[in-house]
Amino acid sequence: MLTNTQLHNFAALALRVGANIQPDQEVVIRCDVQCADFAHIIAEKAYDFGAKYVHIQWRDERLARINMLGASKQTLTEVPDYLTAQTDYFIDHRVCLISISAGDPNIMKGCDPDKMQASSLASMRANARFRAATMSNLLRWTIVSIPTREWAMQVFPGVEPEVAIDRMWDAIGHIMRLDTEDPTRAWREHIDTLHRRADFLNRHNFEYIRLHNARGTDLRVGLATDHIWLAAEEMGQDGLPFTANMPTEEIFTAPHCRKIDGKVVNALPLVNNGNIIDDFEITFANGRVTDYSAKVGYDALKNILTTDDGVLSLGEIALIGKHSPIAESGILFYNTLFDENASCHLAFGASYPTTVRGGNDMTDEQLNAHGMNRSLQHVDFMVGTDDIDIDGVTYDGKTVALFRDGEWVV
Ligand code: ZN
Ligand code: ZN
């Protein structure tokens, strides 16, 4: 369990290093009702930092399950106007957003996959404007995480719920560097290290990245024209930095959506909409998925891959060494925020316009010409194993070793 001071430091990190709250700014906290206590700490802290007003957008995963079981497919595809009116308000008022990602990874187990897909498609469509506002850094935002009961029990099976929750707080406290003397300074140093590596990758302007391991991954990922590797702290459109994911260990950029070839095998389970997908492999040719299989959660994978056309290509490649604190914890969190930061990953679907030079000012056609991918989806899946080798290949054919046996060599 964290001490009271550590909890307050955590809230301060989310507000300052994360969303970078500014005086007189409105704040939105988005979280499950189970996270109310921590949300209230963030809200109080926000006023210490000069917030104008704190909104909370409650989620309720248990009600979401009840609705999924009880409501008709038709009803589940009708997103009420007041919800979009609310997010429009948030965009227009340039709020900063703090999401607490926490919940039972199995909450939707046994629900009708067809209904789930229809419902998530409808909500993605309704949220398109808000999603664009976060993906293009129009809003400054961050995601943090705290334990919830069912989730902790999944991560630490076989112990009492209270013990599981305690262990998870300890793990998150360490991963978030809250056990250091000055967590904010520890984060600043961490961010600097990531930026130094991103600069190295940017200087080389690789044409493509090659991934290879014993599990069967042998993939060539072309990179978008004028791509930029980003890490940790990004720049909001208002010129203020923010850190979108806390924790973050990744350095990422956009693949070229027509230049991906080969096969990739997942390294960790993928949790999506309350479903677990595992032991899957995907084959690409000319940037598109041509074949896929999964031993666990095939229907859920199929649901993702039939969202739209763009989901059949990739929108992100991210590199993370195996000695990151999350990877070293050896804990499988069943939550993308942690698991994607424990392992190199790729994402099906949309790329971030910020990962190409001038991307925020480009038309859809221009983005496409650079190889940027468009989709309603952005689903990360983990591919980095302990033995993965990764090379960068430059436009003049020079190969630079980036990873050997799962760790950075540059
Ligand atoms: Zn990522
Ligand atoms: Zn991603």
Side-chain angles (χ1 to χ4, degrees):
M1 188 59 203
L2 299 187
T3 64
N4 211 33
T5 309
Q6 285 175 323
L7 278 175
H8 280 82
N9 284 341
F10 192 175
L13 271 181
L15 285 158
R16 286 230 145 125
V17 180
N20 193 7
I21 181 179
Q22 297 298 303
D24 214 29
Q25 185 171 25
E26 289 176 66
V27 178
V28 174
I29 303 171
R30 206 178 242 203
C31 70
D32 196 272
V33 290
Q34 297 169 81
C35 305
D37 290 345
F38 186 57
H40 296 153
I41 295 176
I42 296 176
E44 276 179 0
K45 219 15 144 220
Y47 284 107
D48 291 346
F49 297 148
K52 181 180 180 193
Y53 191 77
V54 179
H55 307 263
I56 291 200
Q57 237 185 353
W58 295 112
R59 303 263 172 93
D60 183 341
E61 62 173 14
R62 290 169 193 160
L63 180 65
R65 178 183 173 83
I66 293 167
N67 281 335
M68 191 58 69
L69 290 169
S72 71
K73 182 176 162 186
Q74 176 59 35
T75 305
L76 290 167
T77 60
E78 291 158 4
V79 179
D81 290 349
Y82 72 85
L83 288 177
T84 22
Q86 188 186 39
T87 48
D88 283 346
Y89 174 96
F90 293 156
I91 299 168
D92 297 341
H93 285 238
R94 298 291 189 271
V95 302
C96 70
L97 173 72
I98 295 173
S99 293
I100 304 176
S101 162
D104 179 359
N106 276 308
I107 189 71
M108 293 298 175
K109 201 174 177 181
C111 292
D112 177 359
D114 194 36
K115 263 188 183 179
M116 291 197 354
Q117 188 189 29
S119 154
S120 83
L121 206 59
S123 96
M124 278 188 291
R125 285 202 180 112
N127 269 303
R129 186 174 171 232
F130 194 70
R131 192 175 181 78
T134 52
M135 283 189 87
S136 67
N137 298 354
L138 179 64
L139 302 182
R140 279 174 279 106
W141 54 282
T142 193
I143 309 179
V144 295
S145 195
I146 62 167
T148 55
R149 189 185 154 97
E150 279 74 21
W151 181 25
M153 286 162 68
Q154 163 98 31
V155 176
F156 298 103
V159 299
E160 290 299 308
E162 288 66 32
V163 177
I165 292 170
D166 259 13
R167 280 194 195 166
M168 199 145 160
W169 270 118
D170 288 344
I172 292 176
H174 176 63
I175 288 165
M176 290 296 293
R177 298 169 168 82
L178 296 168
D179 53 359
T180 59
E181 207 165 294
D182 182 348
T184 302
R185 204 185 61 206
W187 267 91
R188 288 273 156 236
E189 285 167 7
H190 172 52
I191 289 169
D192 287 347
T193 306
L194 291 174
H195 283 188
R196 272 198 300 276
R197 278 197 178 121
D199 290 346
F200 177 90
L201 296 170
N202 285 327
R203 277 200 306 277
H204 282 81
N205 186 33
F206 294 116
E207 182 180 8
Y208 60 92
I209 300 291
R210 218 163 46 201
L211 304 104
H212 185 271
N213 69 11
R215 240 186 121 129
T217 291
D218 189 1
L219 189 71
R220 195 180 128 126
V221 180
L223 300 182
T225 312
D226 294 335
H227 66 273
I228 311 169
W229 291 90
L230 296 176
E233 208 166 50
E234 295 177 47
M235 210 46 91
Q237 287 193 28
D238 55 8
L240 294 168
F242 69 101
T243 305
N245 287 355
M246 299 185 82
T248 182
E249 303 287 339
E250 65 173 339
I251 301 171
F252 66 100
T253 193
H256 193 297
C257 66
R258 290 178 292 277
K259 296 182 183 171
I260 306 156
D261 294 276
K263 190 174 89 171
V264 63
V265 183
N266 78 305
L268 291 172
L270 160 61
V271 179
N272 185 257
N273 285 334
N275 287 285
I276 294 171
I277 308 166
D278 202 3
D279 284 324
F280 61 93
E281 52 179 75
I282 318 281
T283 308
F284 290 89
N286 300 318
R288 288 178 65 86
V289 175
T290 53
D291 195 19
Y292 60 93
S293 65
K295 292 195 181 122
V296 178
Y298 176 81
D299 284 339
L301 178 62
K302 191 174 161 194
N303 270 348
I304 295 171
L305 292 177
T306 50
T307 311
D308 54 22
D309 197 55
V311 79
L312 291 172
S313 190
L314 298 176
E316 180 187 352
I317 174 168
L319 306 182
I320 296 112
K322 69 178 174 188
H323 295 303
S324 85
I326 305 174
E328 286 197 322
S329 77
I331 300 168
L332 177 60
F333 282 91
Y334 299 96
N335 177 300
T336 303
L337 179 62
F338 294 93
D339 295 334
E340 77 156 3
N341 276 303
S343 164
C344 295
H345 56 268
L346 304 168
F348 297 117
S351 49
Y352 291 88
T354 48
T355 48
V356 66
R357 237 180 301 283
N360 276 335
D361 301 320
M362 287 185 193
T363 62
D364 288 345
E365 289 69 31
Q366 288 171 318
L367 286 168
N368 181 268
H370 282 75
M372 299 295 278
N373 197 37
R374 245 170 78 100
S375 169
L376 286 168
Q377 289 276 25
H378 178 96
V379 180
D380 298 289
F381 62 100
M382 280 51 86
V383 300
T385 48
D386 274 1
D387 71 334
I388 198 161
D389 289 343
I390 301 175
D391 295 312
V393 180
T394 60
Y395 279 89
D396 51 15
K398 204 174 109 201
T399 300
V400 179
L402 301 176
F403 272 61
R404 286 297 173 261
D405 284 328
E407 188 51 72
W408 287 98
V409 290
V410 296

